Amino acid sequence: MRAPLAASRTLRWVCVVIAMITLGASPSASAWIYPEHRDIAVLAVQGLDAERKAVFDRLWQEARGGAEQKLCAEAADAAQGLAPPCIDWAALSGIAGDHSCSSQQMLDTVRKDDWILTVADVAAQLKSDLSRIPVTARPDQAEGISAFLADPRRRLADEASRAQRVNALRTADTRLQRADPQYATRADANLAHFLMPRPDTNLNPTAYGLLTLKPGAELNAVGVYAWFHISALQKASRLANEQLPVEQRRALARAMLFDEAFALHFLEDTYASGHVAGSWGGVSQRKGTHDFYNQNGIEVFTWQGRERTIVLMGDAHMRPEDAALAAASVRTSLAQVLDAATGRSRGYSVPYEPQAPAAADAFDICKNATIADRGLRLGSGGTSPYAPVLLEALLDTPVPGLGPGLGALPRARSEVGAFMGLAATIEGRGVSGGFEASQNDKGFVPGLDLGFRVGVGLEGALGDAGDGLAYLQVGFHADGPSTNKVTSRGAIVGGSLDAAIPSRGGLSARVRLPYYLIPGDLLLLSPMYFFAPENYTQLGVTAVNGGLLGWQRGWATRFGRFQFVLGRELGVTWYGLRGQQQLVAPPGDGAAVPRVVNFKSTYFDLPILEYRPYRAFSANQSSALLFQLFAGVDVPHGVSVATPPGASVNLDTLYVLGVRLVFDWRYYW
């Protein structure tokens, strides 16, 4: 019973580590990417009327006081190129949420940390890369081979565009993770970037807005937007009603503009298709639905435009029309703040808040999971003085989908979470010779393997760049006889014993884990999770995204996905555990007949390169075809000579190189 007990303990320990990696590297679901957020903000500023544009420019110059080197002179520079030397106001909506957890943290980061300029540079390069790639919907895998044959040129072109987009995002995400180590895990604990689903069809925009701001409500895009927008309005009311010393006025203007920029990130998120639909369910369902609608688009109504629908795209797939729709709402919101700061009437009054601090809002969307109570006196009829302000800003935003139940939008799932599955393998491997030292002829060995797997998937349904796949597999492996033969003048038993390596079978096992720098390091460093969880999480995130050196990231092409996987996977086969296995060796010195040798062996294989031409994923199942180039060693042991009596033999280690075809099926729960 010792061996099974030890194996059970090992299995439990590996599963703990896998769970840690899952928690630490769960895919982020932020909405528009940085350059898209910035483009929306630039469009919004460009559309301001002359009077408000003058007010905005003046306030921005005040806000820059003391930080002129970090904050650009032009607030929304449409001509900004690669490697921006400073951060403009338009870029703040891209930094908010994804690279900072509060307006206060964003202000401190922009003014004090140089790494944010690296983030801006990566975003500018990503914008340039994506601008050359057409936006296309993902081909429907359900259409099958007949649809592909009907229009192969278009399908290959669409797949090529998708692959280019995946690779551009992969490169950018890797660079962003290096510049900002918290990038992949920031705000993953809540739904701050998503629209709250409607509980029923009877809500009007006022009732929905009150629901999103109710103290204790789960963080959501509209609620977070309203929180920081109100903070900006309260500071603006002081600018309009108080005579302040220069430094205090600068600080207040700066805090106001940063609060508004932080708010606008979440207002812009409401126009990302995956965030209209992907707002409920488990992690796998949210991620899969988010990704599916982002790439394929969604038809929606707006709160005040129910006579017609619009189609929205999502993260990294923004079209000019998507940007224009979002920019219109952003412009309305920004105009509200500018008007409040100058005392300009909009048909309603923004209350004067003399207690508004001259510091950016510190509400942390990464640590808080629910909306806090800020004393807005929210009544059932929208009696808060801020209700007309929010209603005006939100009327043109999309109506979110319904929550679970009748009428809910169709859901998708990603390959995130625990699974069990089967893997069927056909392989062929070249061998360096036979086990016996005199058998130098190279040969070929065919093999089959059938294994049962349990593990954790961290592969997005549409994302092909990362690889957080981790599993344990047990199964049975069978080999045919090798093509190289025993050469001897003595009698030879027929059948597979003619082969230098006879046919044989054995128990097999396989393990796959991502690693940070050297294979197995996440397992060895797992105790670190209990005293330095954030650091261990960062190791896991880097491992999932190709490791510290980055050479194990997937590379998408129109024909499939390639990945260098050396060190991520190890296979072991134990031959001869049940019953004797025999081979024939040539006669020894002075002997006339061949030797029949009893032996066992342990075979280790390491995949080197992986090519995946096909993968499909349904609600809870996936299937894929993989080709793997692998190398291995076959180590003999337990050697004895059956006949002739008294003979001896030395068996050598074999070195192999081969290719296998794997059919991988998984069921997620």
Side-chain angles (χ1 to χ4, degrees), residues 204-209 222 225 267 270-271 301-307 310 325 328-329 332-333 336 348 387-400:
N204 59 36
T206 299
Y208 177 77
V222 170
Y225 159 71
L267 180 60
T270 67
Y271 285 89
F301 294 95
T302 63
W303 286 108
Q304 72 170 356
R306 302 229 177 173
E307 71 281 357
I310 55 176
L325 287 168
S329 288
T332 298
S333 180
Q336 290 177 345
Y348 50 77
V389 183
L390 298 177
L391 181 62
E392 181 186 32
L394 296 172
L395 273 177
D396 288 324
T397 61
V399 177

Side-chain angles (χ1 to χ4, degrees), residues 304-479:
Q304 72 170 356
R306 302 229 177 173
E307 71 281 357
R308 68 183 183 90
T309 62
I310 55 176
V311 174
L312 300 175
M313 294 297 288
D315 317 1
H317 295 82
M318 188 175 76
R319 305 162 301 164
E321 51 266 47
D322 301 315
L325 287 168
S329 288
V330 168
R331 189 178 303 117
T332 298
S333 180
L334 178 58
Q336 290 177 345
V337 173
L338 298 176
D339 290 351
T342 56
R344 182 175 177 176
S345 174
R346 295 184 65 90
Y348 50 77
S349 60
V350 173
Y352 170 45
E353 183 55 67
Q355 302 303 317
D361 199 297
F363 182 73
D364 192 312
I365 66 161
C366 301
K367 295 180 179 178
N368 290 287
T370 58
I371 297 290
D373 187 353
R374 65 182 306 159
L376 294 179
R377 305 186 303 278
L378 298 173
S380 60
T383 57
S384 167
Y386 294 101
V389 183
L390 298 177
L391 181 62
E392 181 186 32
L394 296 172
L395 273 177
D396 288 324
T397 61
V399 177
L402 290 170
L406 295 176
L409 288 167
R411 315 294 288 168
R413 286 186 56 152
S414 65
E415 295 194 61
V416 176
F419 69 83
M420 62 180 180
L422 296 173
T425 301
I426 302 173
E427 70 175 42
R429 58 186 191 264
V431 293
S432 57
F435 282 111
E436 205 276 331
S438 66
Q439 297 172 324
N440 297 318
D441 293 340
K442 294 179 174 58
F444 174 83
V445 176
L448 298 172
D449 192 280
L450 181 64
F452 173 78
R453 292 178 174 178
V454 291
V456 172
L458 289 178
E459 301 163 289
L462 304 180
D464 288 319
D467 173 19
L469 179 63
Y471 62 76
L472 291 173
Q473 174 182 317
V474 294
F476 180 78
H477 188 94
D479 285 340

Side-chain angles (χ1 to χ4, degrees), residues 138 141 159 162 166 415 458-469 512 554-565 609-616 622-629 660-664 666 668:
R138 180 180 176 87
Q141 292 175 327
E159 286 291 354
R162 191 184 73 86
V166 166
E415 295 194 61
L458 289 178
E459 301 163 289
L462 304 180
D464 288 319
D467 173 19
L469 179 63
R512 181 161 178 146
W555 187 267
T557 73
R558 72 179 69 186
F559 303 108
R561 178 182 184 274
F562 293 86
Q563 185 181 9
F564 184 72
V565 295
L609 181 67
E610 191 171 88
Y611 166 56
R612 187 182 68 207
Y614 164 83
R615 181 173 69 170
S622 72
S623 60
L625 285 178
L626 302 170
F627 289 90
Q628 286 185 335
L629 173 69
R660 64 168 57 97
L661 170 64
V662 184
F663 176 74
D664 176 11
R666 307 176 204 166
Y668 286 80

Side-chain angles (χ1 to χ4, degrees), residues 15 20 88 91 118 173 222 300 325 349 365 383 425 461 468 485 498 506 569 595:
C15 288
M20 292 174 183
D88 63 2
T118 303
D173 283 343
V222 170
V300 298
L325 287 168
S349 60
I365 66 161
T383 57
T425 301
K485 302 297 183 180
D498 287 17
E569 185 176 320
R595 293 162 291 178

Side-chain angles (χ1 to χ4, degrees), residues 199-276:
D200 57 62
T201 61
N202 297 320
L203 290 182
N204 59 36
T206 299
Y208 177 77
L210 293 174
L211 188 65
T212 65
L213 269 174
K214 183 179 179 181
E218 193 166 25
L219 283 191
N220 61 90
V222 170
V224 174
Y225 159 71
W227 180 282
F228 287 94
H229 183 53
I230 290 171
S231 289
L233 289 169
Q234 290 176 340
K235 294 174 174 64
S237 73
R238 288 189 59 192
L239 288 175
N241 290 280
E242 298 179 22
Q243 295 295 320
L244 299 169
V246 172
E247 287 304 319
Q248 288 186 29
R249 183 176 174 83
R250 281 180 175 177
L252 192 60
R254 183 185 305 121
M256 177 193 73
L257 289 177
F258 271 72
D259 282 355
E260 179 64 6
F262 199 91
L264 293 178
H265 175 100
F266 299 90
L267 180 60
E268 293 166 4
D269 281 356
T270 67
Y271 285 89
S273 54
H275 293 253
V276 176

